């Protein structure tokens, strides 16, 4: 759900959950941001979790304690969940950078699930 708080010509949009569910939802976010910009408003976008990620991580954290196989599967699925929306990104350079950031952040999750502390 998108929430906004106005500060003069600046609009803060908090975007997450159901509005980050699929291509149509991502397109709706783009339309919202473009509409604000066309009105001359500056947009500050705060992104929270993609649809289903929070519940999945909570469920997976508990399961990962009992099985390395489940932990590995959770890490893999988390990476896939975050890479999936990159198919909507038309700029290859941005997509590559996003993949790197996703992989880097998911590696932190991997260490958490497997109890690896560096």
């Amino acid at each position: 759900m998108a929430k906004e708080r106005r500060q003069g010509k600046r609009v803060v949009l908090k975007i997450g959950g159901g509005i980050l569910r699929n291509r149509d939802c991502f397109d709706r976010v783009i339309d919202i941001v473009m509409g604000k910009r066309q009105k001359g408003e500056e947009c500050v976008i705060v992104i929270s979790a993609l649809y289903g990620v929070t519940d999945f991580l909570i469920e997976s954290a508990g399961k990962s304690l009992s099985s390395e196989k489940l932990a590995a599967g959770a890490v893999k699925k988390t990476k896939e969940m975050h890479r999936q929306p990159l198919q909507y990104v038309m700029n290859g350079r941005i997509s590559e950078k996003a993949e790197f950031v996703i992989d880097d952040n998911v590696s932190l999750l991997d260490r958490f699930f497997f109890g690896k502390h560096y």
Side-chain angles (χ1 to χ4, degrees):
M1 171 172 246
K3 298 177 185 176
E4 55 184 85
R5 182 182 72 197
R6 294 184 186 269
Q7 298 176 346
K9 291 265 184 190
R10 182 175 293 154
V11 178
V12 178
L13 301 169
K14 184 268 185 187
I15 300 169
I19 201 163
L20 296 177
R21 181 179 221 154
N22 57 36
R23 175 67 187 245
D24 290 338
C25 294
F26 278 83
D27 287 343
R28 189 166 14 139
V29 169
I30 291 168
D31 290 343
I32 291 168
V33 172
M34 295 302 290
K36 300 288 183 192
R37 291 188 65 178
Q38 287 173 352
K39 292 179 187 174
E41 297 174 329
E42 178 185 357
C43 293
V44 176
I45 303 169
V46 179
I47 304 289
S48 63
L50 295 168
Y51 177 79
V53 169
T54 302
D55 291 338
F56 176 75
L57 289 175
I58 291 168
E59 180 182 322
S60 298
K63 289 179 179 179
S64 72
L65 296 173
S66 63
S67 166
E68 284 191 15
K69 184 177 178 180
L70 290 175
V75 170
K76 181 180 178 186
K77 182 169 179 169
T78 301
K79 186 182 287 189
E80 290 169 1
M81 291 172 83
H82 284 85
R83 281 185 163 199
Q84 189 273 332
L86 294 180
Q87 68 183 317
Y88 313 140
V89 177
M90 299 300 158
N91 184 312
R93 196 179 88 220
I94 291 172
S95 183
E96 287 177 21
K97 286 182 180 183
E99 280 187 30
F100 176 80
V101 170
I102 290 167
D103 291 350
D104 191 45
N105 284 301
V106 171
S107 73
L108 295 173
L109 180 66
D110 181 57
R111 285 184 263 171
F112 172 77
F113 277 164
F114 288 99
K116 299 174 187 172
H117 302 284
Y118 299 96

